[in-house]
Amino acid sequence: MLSLDLHPVFRSGRDIDNGLRTFLLRAAASGEPQAEIVCGKGSGQLRERVLTFLSQPHVRRLHAGAAPDPHNPGRVLVRFERAVSGPVSRERPA
């Protein structure tokens, strides 16, 4: 599972957004079904910022869903759709 730890950049909004964007593009292209973003427990402000970023329409197209880990509130799990292998038929059923 791919992982991004936001602890080193938690004070810089621009670094957080750039890190998330780069990570999501890499994770979506990797073919992994899931990735984690470690934001720490703390006050929850960083986790909310991550979830807000992931819910933006242009970012939402990159993943199939995101939610805090139910067993560890210090991380956010992001799910990805697996690519369909082989040609896709565009024929209509009879």
Side-chain angles (χ1 to χ4, degrees):
M1 176 185 323
L2 296 174
S3 180
L4 172 66
D5 186 355
L6 292 177
H7 285 102
V9 296
F10 76 95
R11 293 186 191 264
S12 172
R14 182 180 294 165
D15 289 344
I16 291 169
D17 290 350
N18 287 339
L20 286 169
R21 190 175 298 110
T22 302
F23 176 72
L24 284 175
L25 289 170
R26 185 170 44 104
S30 75
E32 291 282 333
Q34 184 169 295
E36 70 175 353
I37 300 171
V38 179
C39 45
K41 295 178 183 176
S43 66
Q45 288 180 348
L46 184 54
R47 180 180 59 243
E48 289 307 313
R49 180 180 180 120
V50 168
L51 292 171
T52 299
F53 179 88
L54 294 171
S55 68
Q56 295 177 70
H58 66 282
V59 175
R60 184 76 178 92
R61 293 185 195 119
L62 296 173
H63 63 88
D69 183 347
H71 304 291
N72 180 356
R75 73 179 188 161
V76 174
L77 299 176
V78 183
R79 290 179 293 108
F80 298 95
E81 297 280 332
R82 288 198 180 254
V84 177
S85 59
V88 177
S89 174
R90 296 191 180 259
E91 296 178 21
R92 292 186 180 177

